[in-house]
Amino acid sequence: MVLGVNNYKMLCNKGSGEYNEDIIGFTPFGAWVLDGATGLNNKNLVSKESDAKWYVSWWNNFLHQNISKEKSLKNIIKEGLGKIKDEYERKINNVKLDKIDTPSSSGLFIKFHKDKIEYLLLGDCTLIYSDNERANFIKDESVSVLDERVFEYMEKVSSLKKLTLEEKKNEVMPIIIDNRIKKNTFKGYWILEFSKKAVDNGLHGYINIGKDMKIMLTSDGFSSAFDRYNIFEKEEIINIAKKQGIEYIYNKIREIENKDKKAVEFPRFKISDDSSCIYLDIYKN
């Protein structure tokens, strides 16, 4: 490998849920952030803990074993999709499930090549990179747009403000289900599940490596610092990560969420989301 890493920082912290359904990985050949989502059936079909946790853990193991292959990210992920689909179907004994019942995950993957970085993005993770102090952002807003429908409803209906967070979520569940049905469709959003068509329609491309390049991969539980809670200006987020650290950003997120535990100021589905970030200083050998 010709690319090198001067410095790196990583975090993957559990939110207010029982299990951390985020997972991250970093090797000399690439890095990834996965943000799992369990089906809306309120039960686990393949894990005693969390189907989403099982799902992202499977991918984490697969990527550690396969990211080094001389293949494109799309082909590596498609290879994994075939394998995880077979394993999942064996575990559920080929029971036919509704679309809202299966686990899925937002996923952001990067792969190091000789003089460039390949990326593949599915769901609402965010890729940030800077070259000569200019911040660039790659994110698919499709999931965020659908989530915003729910948040707007929660803000408009004043009676919801008196409810607990769990009661609020139950009230808006029909909208959440309607959004989830749009999973991996052109009218909805593309996400890592069992569909190879999703991989073909995810955000994919290459970034040329310049001098003093910094890269951040984040789940939405971390990018909320600038795209949901507006704690920081998005253009300054990489410099803050470099100078004050990603833990500093994370702690500011938790401060906001702890002050707004009933999700009144910032409508959301849980008190605090799982939060993940990988920060890398990249250079050419």
Side-chain angles (χ1 to χ4, degrees), residues 18 54-55 86 88-89 105 163 172 182 192 208 245 251 260:
E18 190 173 0
W54 170 85
Y55 188 81
D86 289 343
Y88 182 76
E89 288 178 347
S105 176
L163 304 178
V172 298
K182 294 182 175 69
L192 188 67
N208 292 322
N251 289 335
D260 184 40

Side-chain angles (χ1 to χ4, degrees), residues 135-154:
N136 302 275
F137 294 79
I138 298 174
K139 181 175 182 178
D140 184 348
E141 299 289 349
S142 302
V143 177
S144 301
V145 168
L146 293 174
D147 284 345
E148 200 58 40
R149 287 178 54 205
V150 185
F151 300 148
E152 286 177 0
Y153 182 81
M154 293 169 80

